[in-house]
PDB file of all heavy atoms in Angstrom:
ATOM      1  N   SER A   1      -9.626   0.086  10.062  1.00  0.00           N
ATOM      2  CA  SER A   1      -8.492  -0.636  10.648  1.00  0.00           C
ATOM      3  C   SER A   1      -8.854  -2.124  10.655  1.00  0.00           C
ATOM      4  O   SER A   1      -9.891  -2.527  10.148  1.00  0.00           O
ATOM      5  CB  SER A   1      -8.247  -0.144  12.077  1.00  0.00           C
ATOM      6  OG  SER A   1      -9.343  -0.501  12.907  1.00  0.00           O
ATOM      7  N   ALA A   2      -8.012  -2.901  11.265  1.00  0.00           N
ATOM      8  CA  ALA A   2      -8.270  -4.340  11.373  1.00  0.00           C
ATOM      9  C   ALA A   2      -9.547  -4.624  12.170  1.00  0.00           C
ATOM     10  O   ALA A   2     -10.133  -5.696  12.030  1.00  0.00           O
ATOM     11  CB  ALA A   2      -7.080  -5.041  12.016  1.00  0.00           C
ATOM     12  N   GLU A   3      -9.999  -3.662  12.942  1.00  0.00           N
ATOM     13  CA  GLU A   3     -11.219  -3.854  13.732  1.00  0.00           C
ATOM     14  C   GLU A   3     -12.478  -3.911  12.860  1.00  0.00           C
ATOM     15  O   GLU A   3     -13.404  -4.652  13.165  1.00  0.00           O
ATOM     16  CB  GLU A   3     -11.352  -2.756  14.772  1.00  0.00           C
ATOM     17  CG  GLU A   3     -10.316  -2.855  15.862  1.00  0.00           C
ATOM     18  CD  GLU A   3     -10.427  -1.733  16.873  1.00  0.00           C
ATOM     19  OE1 GLU A   3     -11.504  -1.107  16.990  1.00  0.00           O
ATOM     20  OE2 GLU A   3      -9.421  -1.472  17.552  1.00  0.00           O
ATOM     21  N   ASN A   4     -12.514  -3.122  11.781  1.00  0.00           N
ATOM     22  CA  ASN A   4     -13.717  -3.142  10.945  1.00  0.00           C
ATOM     23  C   ASN A   4     -13.474  -3.708   9.539  1.00  0.00           C
ATOM     24  O   ASN A   4     -14.409  -3.878   8.773  1.00  0.00           O
ATOM     25  CB  ASN A   4     -14.372  -1.758  10.865  1.00  0.00           C
ATOM     26  CG  ASN A   4     -13.427  -0.665  10.418  1.00  0.00           C
ATOM     27  OD1 ASN A   4     -12.302  -0.919  10.014  1.00  0.00           O
ATOM     28  ND2 ASN A   4     -13.903   0.562  10.491  1.00  0.00           N
ATOM     29  N   LEU A   5     -12.214  -4.014   9.224  1.00  0.00           N
ATOM     30  CA  LEU A   5     -11.854  -4.697   7.980  1.00  0.00           C
ATOM     31  C   LEU A   5     -10.560  -5.456   8.271  1.00  0.00           C
ATOM     32  O   LEU A   5      -9.469  -4.891   8.209  1.00  0.00           O
ATOM     33  CB  LEU A   5     -11.675  -3.705   6.828  1.00  0.00           C
ATOM     34  CG  LEU A   5     -11.405  -4.289   5.448  1.00  0.00           C
ATOM     35  CD1 LEU A   5     -12.547  -5.201   4.990  1.00  0.00           C
ATOM     36  CD2 LEU A   5     -11.191  -3.184   4.418  1.00  0.00           C
ATOM     37  N   SER A   6     -10.684  -6.719   8.627  1.00  0.00           N
ATOM     38  CA  SER A   6      -9.581  -7.491   9.203  1.00  0.00           C
ATOM     39  C   SER A   6      -8.290  -7.459   8.397  1.00  0.00           C
ATOM     40  O   SER A   6      -7.205  -7.479   8.967  1.00  0.00           O
ATOM     41  CB  SER A   6     -10.013  -8.943   9.430  1.00  0.00           C
ATOM     42  OG  SER A   6     -10.333  -9.555   8.191  1.00  0.00           O
ATOM     43  N   ASP A   7      -8.375  -7.376   7.083  1.00  0.00           N
ATOM     44  CA  ASP A   7      -7.159  -7.398   6.264  1.00  0.00           C
ATOM     45  C   ASP A   7      -6.817  -6.029   5.675  1.00  0.00           C
ATOM     46  O   ASP A   7      -6.136  -5.933   4.664  1.00  0.00           O
ATOM     47  CB  ASP A   7      -7.289  -8.438   5.148  1.00  0.00           C
ATOM     48  CG  ASP A   7      -8.506  -8.208   4.271  1.00  0.00           C
ATOM     49  OD1 ASP A   7      -9.250  -7.228   4.489  1.00  0.00           O
ATOM     50  OD2 ASP A   7      -8.721  -9.010   3.350  1.00  0.00           O
ATOM     51  N   TYR A   8      -7.250  -4.977   6.342  1.00  0.00           N
ATOM     52  CA  TYR A   8      -7.029  -3.628   5.807  1.00  0.00           C
ATOM     53  C   TYR A   8      -5.555  -3.324   5.550  1.00  0.00           C
ATOM     54  O   TYR A   8      -5.206  -2.703   4.554  1.00  0.00           O
ATOM     55  CB  TYR A   8      -7.641  -2.564   6.723  1.00  0.00           C
ATOM     56  CG  TYR A   8      -7.429  -1.156   6.195  1.00  0.00           C
ATOM     57  CD1 TYR A   8      -7.905  -0.797   4.932  1.00  0.00           C
ATOM     58  CD2 TYR A   8      -6.727  -0.209   6.928  1.00  0.00           C
ATOM     59  CE1 TYR A   8      -7.704   0.468   4.430  1.00  0.00           C
ATOM     60  CE2 TYR A   8      -6.528   1.065   6.430  1.00  0.00           C
ATOM     61  CZ  TYR A   8      -7.022   1.395   5.186  1.00  0.00           C
ATOM     62  OH  TYR A   8      -6.806   2.665   4.679  1.00  0.00           O
ATOM     63  N   GLU A   9      -4.700  -3.779   6.423  1.00  0.00           N
ATOM     64  CA  GLU A   9      -3.259  -3.516   6.265  1.00  0.00           C
ATOM     65  C   GLU A   9      -2.749  -4.000   4.904  1.00  0.00           C
ATOM     66  O   GLU A   9      -1.869  -3.388   4.307  1.00  0.00           O
ATOM     67  CB  GLU A   9      -2.476  -4.184   7.403  1.00  0.00           C
ATOM     68  CG  GLU A   9      -1.008  -3.863   7.411  1.00  0.00           C
ATOM     69  CD  GLU A   9      -0.695  -2.389   7.620  1.00  0.00           C
ATOM     70  OE1 GLU A   9      -1.466  -1.688   8.296  1.00  0.00           O
ATOM     71  OE2 GLU A   9       0.346  -1.928   7.109  1.00  0.00           O
ATOM     72  N   HIS A  10      -3.318  -5.067   4.375  1.00  0.00           N
ATOM     73  CA  HIS A  10      -2.888  -5.622   3.092  1.00  0.00           C
ATOM     74  C   HIS A  10      -3.535  -4.916   1.908  1.00  0.00           C
ATOM     75  O   HIS A  10      -3.208  -5.206   0.761  1.00  0.00           O
ATOM     76  CB  HIS A  10      -3.206  -7.123   3.024  1.00  0.00           C
ATOM     77  CG  HIS A  10      -2.539  -7.900   4.105  1.00  0.00           C
ATOM     78  ND1 HIS A  10      -1.173  -8.056   4.186  1.00  0.00           N
ATOM     79  CD2 HIS A  10      -3.066  -8.554   5.172  1.00  0.00           C
ATOM     80  CE1 HIS A  10      -0.880  -8.779   5.253  1.00  0.00           C
ATOM     81  NE2 HIS A  10      -2.005  -9.085   5.870  1.00  0.00           N
ATOM     82  N   ARG A  11      -4.445  -4.009   2.177  1.00  0.00           N
ATOM     83  CA  ARG A  11      -5.192  -3.344   1.115  1.00  0.00           C
ATOM     84  C   ARG A  11      -4.626  -1.975   0.754  1.00  0.00           C
ATOM     85  O   ARG A  11      -5.172  -1.296  -0.090  1.00  0.00           O
ATOM     86  CB  ARG A  11      -6.658  -3.214   1.516  1.00  0.00           C
ATOM     87  CG  ARG A  11      -7.354  -4.552   1.631  1.00  0.00           C
ATOM     88  CD  ARG A  11      -8.794  -4.404   2.063  1.00  0.00           C
ATOM     89  NE  ARG A  11      -9.431  -5.699   2.190  1.00  0.00           N
ATOM     90  CZ  ARG A  11     -10.033  -6.336   1.197  1.00  0.00           C
ATOM     91  NH1 ARG A  11     -10.100  -5.801   0.008  1.00  0.00           N
ATOM     92  NH2 ARG A  11     -10.587  -7.518   1.400  1.00  0.00           N
ATOM     93  N   ARG A  12      -3.567  -1.567   1.354  1.00  0.00           N
ATOM     94  CA  ARG A  12      -2.986  -0.262   1.067  1.00  0.00           C
ATOM     95  C   ARG A  12      -2.351  -0.278  -0.315  1.00  0.00           C
ATOM     96  O   ARG A  12      -1.481  -1.086  -0.609  1.00  0.00           O
ATOM     97  CB  ARG A  12      -1.941   0.107   2.111  1.00  0.00           C
ATOM     98  CG  ARG A  12      -2.416   0.007   3.544  1.00  0.00           C
ATOM     99  CD  ARG A  12      -3.164   1.256   3.991  1.00  0.00           C
ATOM    100  NE  ARG A  12      -3.724   1.110   5.301  1.00  0.00           N
ATOM    101  CZ  ARG A  12      -3.060   1.226   6.436  1.00  0.00           C
ATOM    102  NH1 ARG A  12      -1.781   1.479   6.424  1.00  0.00           N
ATOM    103  NH2 ARG A  12      -3.672   1.082   7.585  1.00  0.00           N
ATOM    104  N   LYS A  13      -2.794   0.588  -1.180  1.00  0.00           N
ATOM    105  CA  LYS A  13      -2.298   0.614  -2.564  1.00  0.00           C
ATOM    106  C   LYS A  13      -1.091   1.541  -2.727  1.00  0.00           C
ATOM    107  O   LYS A  13      -0.243   1.316  -3.574  1.00  0.00           O
ATOM    108  CB  LYS A  13      -3.397   1.077  -3.524  1.00  0.00           C
ATOM    109  CG  LYS A  13      -4.665   0.258  -3.464  1.00  0.00           C
ATOM    110  CD  LYS A  13      -4.443  -1.150  -3.944  1.00  0.00           C
ATOM    111  CE  LYS A  13      -5.713  -1.946  -3.962  1.00  0.00           C
ATOM    112  NZ  LYS A  13      -6.111  -2.539  -2.710  1.00  0.00           N
ATOM    113  N   SER A  14      -1.008   2.579  -1.913  1.00  0.00           N
ATOM    114  CA  SER A  14       0.048   3.570  -2.128  1.00  0.00           C
ATOM    115  C   SER A  14       1.445   2.973  -1.957  1.00  0.00           C
ATOM    116  O   SER A  14       2.377   3.381  -2.660  1.00  0.00           O
ATOM    117  CB  SER A  14      -0.145   4.788  -1.221  1.00  0.00           C
ATOM    118  OG  SER A  14      -0.143   4.426   0.136  1.00  0.00           O
ATOM    119  N   ARG A  15       1.600   2.010  -1.072  1.00  0.00           N
ATOM    120  CA  ARG A  15       2.918   1.375  -0.902  1.00  0.00           C
ATOM    121  C   ARG A  15       3.351   0.666  -2.189  1.00  0.00           C
ATOM    122  O   ARG A  15       4.495   0.788  -2.616  1.00  0.00           O
ATOM    123  CB  ARG A  15       2.893   0.358   0.231  1.00  0.00           C
ATOM    124  CG  ARG A  15       2.960   0.981   1.582  1.00  0.00           C
ATOM    125  CD  ARG A  15       3.162  -0.091   2.644  1.00  0.00           C
ATOM    126  NE  ARG A  15       2.451   0.334   3.818  1.00  0.00           N
ATOM    127  CZ  ARG A  15       1.621  -0.418   4.514  1.00  0.00           C
ATOM    128  NH1 ARG A  15       1.395  -1.658   4.180  1.00  0.00           N
ATOM    129  NH2 ARG A  15       1.013   0.064   5.575  1.00  0.00           N
ATOM    130  N   ALA A  16       2.442  -0.087  -2.775  1.00  0.00           N
ATOM    131  CA  ALA A  16       2.757  -0.811  -4.018  1.00  0.00           C
ATOM    132  C   ALA A  16       3.070   0.166  -5.139  1.00  0.00           C
ATOM    133  O   ALA A  16       4.028  -0.031  -5.899  1.00  0.00           O
ATOM    134  CB  ALA A  16       1.598  -1.717  -4.415  1.00  0.00           C
ATOM    135  N   ILE A  17       2.296   1.238  -5.223  1.00  0.00           N
ATOM    136  CA  ILE A  17       2.536   2.226  -6.288  1.00  0.00           C
ATOM    137  C   ILE A  17       3.884   2.902  -6.075  1.00  0.00           C
ATOM    138  O   ILE A  17       4.653   3.069  -7.027  1.00  0.00           O
ATOM    139  CB  ILE A  17       1.403   3.274  -6.342  1.00  0.00           C
ATOM    140  CG1 ILE A  17       0.045   2.604  -6.525  1.00  0.00           C
ATOM    141  CG2 ILE A  17       1.656   4.259  -7.481  1.00  0.00           C
ATOM    142  CD1 ILE A  17      -1.146   3.535  -6.294  1.00  0.00           C
ATOM    143  N   ALA A  18       4.175   3.290  -4.839  1.00  0.00           N
ATOM    144  CA  ALA A  18       5.465   3.937  -4.545  1.00  0.00           C
ATOM    145  C   ALA A  18       6.623   3.007  -4.900  1.00  0.00           C
ATOM    146  O   ALA A  18       7.626   3.444  -5.492  1.00  0.00           O
ATOM    147  CB  ALA A  18       5.536   4.349  -3.076  1.00  0.00           C
ATOM    148  N   ASN A  19       6.497   1.736  -4.567  1.00  0.00           N
ATOM    149  CA  ASN A  19       7.548   0.766  -4.904  1.00  0.00           C
ATOM    150  C   ASN A  19       7.718   0.643  -6.414  1.00  0.00           C
ATOM    151  O   ASN A  19       8.844   0.573  -6.912  1.00  0.00           O
ATOM    152  CB  ASN A  19       7.252  -0.596  -4.283  1.00  0.00           C
ATOM    153  CG  ASN A  19       7.457  -0.608  -2.787  1.00  0.00           C
ATOM    154  OD1 ASN A  19       8.188   0.211  -2.243  1.00  0.00           O
ATOM    155  ND2 ASN A  19       6.795  -1.511  -2.121  1.00  0.00           N
ATOM    156  N   ASP A  20       6.601   0.616  -7.148  1.00  0.00           N
ATOM    157  CA  ASP A  20       6.675   0.546  -8.603  1.00  0.00           C
ATOM    158  C   ASP A  20       7.406   1.762  -9.169  1.00  0.00           C
ATOM    159  O   ASP A  20       8.267   1.637 -10.043  1.00  0.00           O
ATOM    160  CB  ASP A  20       5.272   0.465  -9.221  1.00  0.00           C
ATOM    161  CG  ASP A  20       4.602  -0.885  -9.015  1.00  0.00           C
ATOM    162  OD1 ASP A  20       5.297  -1.862  -8.661  1.00  0.00           O
ATOM    163  OD2 ASP A  20       3.380  -0.958  -9.222  1.00  0.00           O
ATOM    164  N   ILE A  21       7.070   2.921  -8.655  1.00  0.00           N
ATOM    165  CA  ILE A  21       7.710   4.161  -9.125  1.00  0.00           C
ATOM    166  C   ILE A  21       9.216   4.103  -8.877  1.00  0.00           C
ATOM    167  O   ILE A  21      10.022   4.401  -9.763  1.00  0.00           O
ATOM    168  CB  ILE A  21       7.081   5.394  -8.442  1.00  0.00           C
ATOM    169  CG1 ILE A  21       5.637   5.589  -8.932  1.00  0.00           C
ATOM    170  CG2 ILE A  21       7.912   6.653  -8.709  1.00  0.00           C
ATOM    171  CD1 ILE A  21       4.827   6.593  -8.123  1.00  0.00           C
ATOM    172  N   LYS A  22       9.607   3.714  -7.670  1.00  0.00           N
ATOM    173  CA  LYS A  22      11.028   3.650  -7.317  1.00  0.00           C
ATOM    174  C   LYS A  22      11.773   2.618  -8.147  1.00  0.00           C
ATOM    175  O   LYS A  22      12.880   2.884  -8.621  1.00  0.00           O
ATOM    176  CB  LYS A  22      11.186   3.335  -5.821  1.00  0.00           C
ATOM    177  CG  LYS A  22      10.762   4.463  -4.910  1.00  0.00           C
ATOM    178  CD  LYS A  22      10.848   4.003  -3.459  1.00  0.00           C
ATOM    179  CE  LYS A  22      10.164   4.947  -2.523  1.00  0.00           C
ATOM    180  NZ  LYS A  22      10.102   4.424  -1.153  1.00  0.00           N
ATOM    181  N   ILE A  23      11.190   1.435  -8.319  1.00  0.00           N
ATOM    182  CA  ILE A  23      11.829   0.373  -9.101  1.00  0.00           C
ATOM    183  C   ILE A  23      12.098   0.833 -10.525  1.00  0.00           C
ATOM    184  O   ILE A  23      13.106   0.472 -11.135  1.00  0.00           O
ATOM    185  CB  ILE A  23      10.956  -0.909  -9.101  1.00  0.00           C
ATOM    186  CG1 ILE A  23      11.062  -1.608  -7.748  1.00  0.00           C
ATOM    187  CG2 ILE A  23      11.331  -1.862 -10.225  1.00  0.00           C
ATOM    188  CD1 ILE A  23      10.066  -2.741  -7.556  1.00  0.00           C
ATOM    189  N   LEU A  24      11.206   1.673 -11.040  1.00  0.00           N
ATOM    190  CA  LEU A  24      11.336   2.148 -12.421  1.00  0.00           C
ATOM    191  C   LEU A  24      12.136   3.446 -12.519  1.00  0.00           C
ATOM    192  O   LEU A  24      12.210   4.053 -13.583  1.00  0.00           O
ATOM    193  CB  LEU A  24       9.945   2.311 -13.046  1.00  0.00           C
ATOM    194  CG  LEU A  24       9.147   1.007 -13.143  1.00  0.00           C
ATOM    195  CD1 LEU A  24       7.724   1.274 -13.591  1.00  0.00           C
ATOM    196  CD2 LEU A  24       9.840   0.010 -14.068  1.00  0.00           C
ATOM    197  N   GLY A  25      12.733   3.856 -11.410  1.00  0.00           N
ATOM    198  CA  GLY A  25      13.637   5.002 -11.428  1.00  0.00           C
ATOM    199  C   GLY A  25      12.987   6.359 -11.255  1.00  0.00           C
ATOM    200  O   GLY A  25      13.632   7.388 -11.423  1.00  0.00           O
ATOM    201  N   GLY A  26      11.723   6.371 -10.882  1.00  0.00           N
ATOM    202  CA  GLY A  26      11.036   7.642 -10.676  1.00  0.00           C
ATOM    203  C   GLY A  26      11.100   8.093  -9.230  1.00  0.00           C
ATOM    204  O   GLY A  26      11.509   7.346  -8.353  1.00  0.00           O
ATOM    205  N   GLU A  27      10.697   9.336  -9.029  1.00  0.00           N
ATOM    206  CA  GLU A  27      10.626   9.884  -7.677  1.00  0.00           C
ATOM    207  C   GLU A  27       9.173   9.925  -7.238  1.00  0.00           C
ATOM    208  O   GLU A  27       8.299  10.349  -7.991  1.00  0.00           O
ATOM    209  CB  GLU A  27      11.230  11.278  -7.635  1.00  0.00           C
ATOM    210  CG  GLU A  27      12.735  11.261  -7.819  1.00  0.00           C
ATOM    211  CD  GLU A  27      13.368  12.575  -7.412  1.00  0.00           C
ATOM    212  OE1 GLU A  27      12.822  13.262  -6.530  1.00  0.00           O
ATOM    213  OE2 GLU A  27      14.409  12.891  -7.987  1.00  0.00           O
ATOM    214  N   VAL A  28       8.938   9.487  -6.027  1.00  0.00           N
ATOM    215  CA  VAL A  28       7.588   9.446  -5.481  1.00  0.00           C
ATOM    216  C   VAL A  28       7.107  10.886  -5.261  1.00  0.00           C
ATOM    217  O   VAL A  28       7.789  11.672  -4.604  1.00  0.00           O
ATOM    218  CB  VAL A  28       7.558   8.640  -4.167  1.00  0.00           C
ATOM    219  CG1 VAL A  28       6.177   8.659  -3.546  1.00  0.00           C
ATOM    220  CG2 VAL A  28       8.027   7.213  -4.420  1.00  0.00           C
TER     221      VAL A  28
END
């Protein structure tokens, strides 16, 4: 969490991948 890695919230990859899939017309 932010307690042991201050910018952890910005390091989540699954959100970016899900957005890419949706933008390209795929289903997550």
Side-chain angles (χ1 to χ4, degrees):
S1 66
E3 291 178 21
N4 54 8
L5 185 60
S6 63
D7 56 2
Y8 180 58
E9 186 63 30
H10 301 293
R11 294 179 181 272
R12 308 277 174 79
K13 304 294 183 277
S14 59
R15 282 189 214 131
I17 304 168
N19 288 337
D20 287 344
I21 291 168
K22 290 175 193 173
I23 285 170
L24 298 172
E27 290 195 29
V28 177

